[in-house]
Amino acid sequence: MDRVARKSRRNRRRLWAHLPLAIVAVATIIPFYVMIVLSLRKGRSLSLPDALLPFHVNFGAYADVLAHAQVVRWMLNTAAYSVISVVLVLVFASFAAYAFAKKRFFGRNAMFWTLLATLMVPYHLTLIPQFILISKMDGLDTLWGLIVPTLANTQALFLMRQFIMGIPDELIEAARIDGAGEIRLFWQIVLPQTKPILATLGVFVFLWHWNDFLWPLVATRSPDHYVLTVGLNSLQAQDSSLTVTMAGAVLTFLPILLVYVLLQRYFVRGVTMSGLK
Amino acid sequence: MTTQTAPRTEPAAGRPARPSRWSRMRRSGSGMALLFVAPYLLLFLVFRILPTLAGMALSLAKYQITGILEWRGLDNFQRLFTDDLFWNALRVTAVYTVIAVPLTLVVALAMAQLSARSIRGIRVYRALYFLPVITSLVTSGVIWQWLYAEHGPLNGLFGLLGIGPVPWLSSGAAVLPSLSLLSVWTRFGYDMLILLAGLLAIPQEYSEAAMLDGASAWQRFWHITLPQLKPAMFFVVILEIVQSFQVFDVIYVMTGGGPVRSSYSLVFFVYDQGFHYFDFGYASAAGVVLFAITLIVSLVQRRLFRED
């Protein structure tokens, strides 16, 4: 078989490979399409197939949902919950990860095994005591009450530790001999090396918090303190019109989509790292 | 954890015979290290260890919202095991897991296999498959509730094919398969990425050698790819089962456990008992059962996957 023929056969085969890939891609996208088209369908018939054809765009539902007194608050609450949590999770996890990776101290292994073991405990067992604890501390319906219980993120600690263990000891020793204090050593030698993992974890922790539902559901009472997921659920439970609920769904999804489009490779890295550690 | 003692072979000349405990600790940075771990550890103790222990303790008590705690021994468990609602929750969760997990894994594995080739635009496909993963389950629930509505698009499509309206979420028989389908949509992209990373790490030579020996594509997949993929599969299977056992968000948003409790899952039971009836002890007992199941599942799987 000559090379040209083989090549063209391979090309045809490659073309065929697109078919199942494309079918699944379309099936994956359809719910998003439905969400967007419905959100633009304000004041029109919702009977099929008219409801799903992309004509007669009307942003009225977005105006309505944004005029809903609390939606903007929910966005701010969600942003605060996510951003503050990301920063604090990364700070605490990287501090601890550095010690676990590069230092010997009393009880290190025992602590580490305890951390590992608690990964097996379902979050739902701790939910009620956590709720009681936060309510005793008068933290229900407050931003700090929402954030603080989520800060001891063990996965983040493990991945950070794994990464810091890869930093050569010589680098740290050299800086120490040059007279760097512990804090400076951490801040100027270790931390800059961990930028890739910080970015990856940052993106993931942001995702978890932005999409978190159960804890905000029990830890907030008044609609003023809801986050978007809880708010969106209440919108739909209140029987707001379908188009307004869908506009709310789009607004909840949009920031995550933006982060995803900009930082896609960090998402991919985060998934593969957690799978293959 | 063992504190370093100076080895005897260390040249002792010109040095004090044995450094004091304090200076040894300073040299190994033990004090400083504890400072680095302290903030994390404090949060971990208060918001993870304490609630875990408290959850177990609560399962042995009756705790009223007024703050009165009465020890009840194993009463809560006794009540659980005679409670039809609890058995129903267990059954719902198990059925959901049995449908959703294999379905998701098959789709994920097929798509990983398909998208492991380097064809044009493959990155775009992978990026699209991952979109549902980053979507919150509440958003997904809101969308899919309408997809599944009586006069929604899915029934519209089925109507064109002459299939009468399917009661996706409104019949007890259909609700768990419907939720499983949604779970495939939300989860296969994540599993696919992990399996894909596993696939791409398999050396090409094995497959090529087998091809020269005349092995069919199916034989190569079964005898070469799958065994090599075992660690990634192990991770994904555990993850999927654990996640399925913890299904909550979409149920809360879409069905509220209905119709007639046919989607009333284990975590929904915990939530309902805890935050609807404020029966904290009883809810915690169900939480302990969830913990036990999680533990057993991962121990069994560890054993199964280790055997060669």
Side-chain angles (χ1 to χ4, degrees):
Chain A
M1 198 172 10
D2 72 307
R3 255 168 81 193
V4 180
R6 198 189 303 162
K7 201 173 171 192
S8 85
R9 218 185 69 172
R10 206 165 59 204
N11 277 346
R12 221 173 316 138
R13 233 188 6 223
R14 283 185 177 179
L15 212 63
W16 275 109
H18 278 282
L19 193 66
L21 289 167
I23 290 175
V24 175
V26 169
T28 307
I29 296 306
I30 283 175
F32 294 107
Y33 173 82
V34 169
M35 165 177 80
I36 292 166
V37 169
L38 283 181
S39 74
L40 299 170
R41 198 63 358 142
K42 171 90 176 146
R44 292 189 190 272
S45 114
L46 287 175
S47 59
L48 296 166
D50 190 45
L52 292 181
L53 296 176
F55 313 125
H56 312 301
V57 169
N58 182 331
F59 286 94
Y62 288 91
D64 281 1
V65 84
L66 287 171
H68 185 292
Q70 281 144 339
V71 170
V72 176
R73 274 224 59 159
W74 298 343
M75 292 181 130
L76 294 175
N77 290 346
T78 314
Y81 177 47
S82 310
V83 173
I84 297 173
S85 299
V86 167
V87 173
L88 293 178
V89 164
L90 292 185
V91 167
F92 295 137
S94 56
F95 274 153
Y98 170 57
F100 275 115
K102 292 293 182 195
K103 293 188 170 299
R104 303 172 148 273
F105 52 91
F106 179 74
R108 185 181 74 167
N109 289 355
M111 278 180 212
F112 200 72
W113 282 107
T114 312
L115 291 172
L116 207 71
T118 53
L119 278 180
M120 293 295 301
V121 179
Y123 171 67
H124 311 92
L125 175 62
T126 63
L127 177 69
I128 286 166
Q130 208 172 73
F131 170 81
I132 296 172
L133 189 65
I134 288 295
S135 78
K136 294 249 189 245
M137 294 163 105
D138 278 329
L140 293 184
D141 250 359
T142 67
L143 187 60
W144 72 261
L146 205 56
I147 292 174
V148 172
T150 67
L151 293 182
N153 188 319
T154 309
Q155 282 100 328
L157 170 66
F158 281 151
L159 290 175
M160 281 298 289
R161 170 182 168 268
Q162 205 77 355
F163 194 91
I164 295 177
M165 286 200 313
I167 299 174
D169 284 340
E170 291 79 22
L171 194 71
I172 296 171
E173 248 349 278
R176 186 171 285 140
I177 290 166
D178 286 348
E182 281 293 334
I183 302 288
R184 242 188 81 191
L185 200 69
F186 176 77
W187 196 250
Q188 293 188 344
I189 307 296
V190 176
L191 212 54
Q193 301 272 327
T194 64
K195 266 184 199 156
I197 186 85
L198 283 178
T200 303
L201 279 174
V203 165
F204 258 85
V205 176
F206 181 78
L207 180 70
W208 290 331
H209 280 82
W210 191 279
N211 288 341
D212 192 11
F213 178 62
L214 182 52
W215 175 240
L217 178 70
V218 301
T220 56
R221 290 285 169 75
S222 55
D224 267 357
H225 296 99
Y226 284 175
V227 295
L228 275 169
T229 49
V230 179
L232 180 59
N233 176 63
S234 79
L235 269 187
Q236 111 148 351
Q238 284 162 19
D239 254 352
S240 307
S241 83
L242 182 64
T243 58
V244 170
T245 305
M246 288 294 170
V250 172
L251 290 178
T252 308
F253 177 59
L254 222 50
I256 284 285
L257 179 67
L258 196 71
V259 172
Y260 179 58
V261 170
L262 293 175
L263 302 170
Q264 211 209 95
R265 65 201 170 103
Y266 294 109
F267 280 95
V268 174
R269 194 189 293 161
V271 173
T272 47
M273 240 171 18
S274 64
L276 300 174
K277 63 181 174 194
Chain B
M1 193 175 53
T2 44
T3 40
Q4 266 183 316
T5 42
R8 243 175 252 165
T9 46
E10 194 181 303
R15 273 196 178 180
R18 197 179 154 79
S20 74
R21 195 187 162 81
W22 171 241
S23 80
R24 260 187 300 143
M25 216 168 89
R26 269 183 59 132
R27 228 186 35 203
S28 68
S30 191
M32 208 59 201
L34 285 173
L35 269 182
F36 275 106
V37 246
Y40 178 91
L41 221 54
L42 188 72
L43 286 164
F44 186 79
L45 275 175
V46 176
F47 293 105
R48 190 81 192 149
I49 301 269
L50 183 69
T52 299
L53 298 177
M56 292 179 186
L58 270 179
S59 74
L60 303 172
K62 187 172 176 64
Y63 184 85
Q64 241 102 39
I65 194 84
T66 49
I68 299 165
L69 183 95
E70 288 170 56
W71 292 107
R72 287 288 172 85
L74 293 174
D75 280 8
N76 285 325
F77 291 96
Q78 219 156 39
R79 200 178 133 203
L80 270 186
F81 295 133
T82 53
D83 187 344
D84 286 344
L85 195 57
F86 172 71
W87 286 112
N88 174 69
L90 269 185
R91 190 189 55 80
V92 163
T93 312
V95 171
Y96 171 76
T97 304
V98 166
I99 305 174
V101 173
L103 218 57
T104 309
L105 289 178
V106 166
V107 175
L109 188 58
M111 296 323 285
Q113 185 79 334
L114 278 172
S115 63
R117 332 173 181 200
S118 53
I119 55 177
R120 216 161 220 267
I122 197 68
R123 282 170 184 282
V124 178
Y125 287 122
R126 290 181 196 155
L128 290 179
Y129 301 149
F130 200 67
L131 275 184
V133 178
I134 59 165
T135 311
S136 82
L137 290 169
V138 175
T139 309
S140 305
V142 165
I143 304 171
W144 279 71
Q145 199 170 21
W146 199 72
L147 287 179
Y148 280 148
E150 196 190 339
H151 300 292
L154 270 172
N155 276 337
L157 191 70
F158 276 46
L160 291 179
L161 301 171
I163 304 168
V166 179
W168 299 100
L169 297 173
S170 54
S171 99
V175 67
L176 290 179
S178 301
L179 289 172
S180 303
L181 202 62
L182 162 56
S183 142
V184 174
W185 182 75
T186 56
R187 306 240 1 120
F188 90 90
Y190 188 94
D191 299 349
M192 190 202 86
L193 269 187
I194 290 175
L195 294 173
L196 183 64
L199 279 176
L200 296 178
I202 299 174
Q204 281 294 309
E205 292 81 44
Y206 296 141
S207 230
E208 277 161 17
M211 201 152 30
L212 287 178
D213 288 344
S216 69
W218 176 251
Q219 282 174 324
R220 271 178 281 144
F221 174 74
W222 195 253
H223 294 292
I224 295 167
T225 310
L226 221 49
Q228 293 274 326
L229 209 54
K230 220 169 153 186
M233 280 298 270
F234 174 65
F235 179 81
V236 171
V237 170
I238 284 215
L239 190 75
E240 277 306 322
I241 295 187
V242 167
Q243 295 239 357
S244 291
F245 260 91
Q246 302 184 348
V247 58
F248 175 77
D249 295 11
V250 289
I251 288 178
Y252 187 90
V253 173
M254 293 175 80
T255 68
V260 212
R261 306 247 152 97
S262 46
S263 64
Y264 195 93
S265 72
L266 198 50
V267 170
F268 198 87
F269 181 93
V270 173
Y271 174 83
D272 203 32
Q273 297 301 324
F275 296 99
H276 189 206
Y277 299 111
F278 295 103
D279 204 341
F280 288 148
Y282 197 43
S284 297
V288 170
V289 172
L290 179 66
F291 180 26
I293 293 173
T294 313
L295 215 58
I296 291 166
V297 164
S298 51
L299 288 178
V300 166
Q301 267 173 326
R302 192 152 296 220
R303 174 142 300 178
L304 281 181
F305 271 79
R306 273 214 185 131
E307 258 169 30
D308 274 312

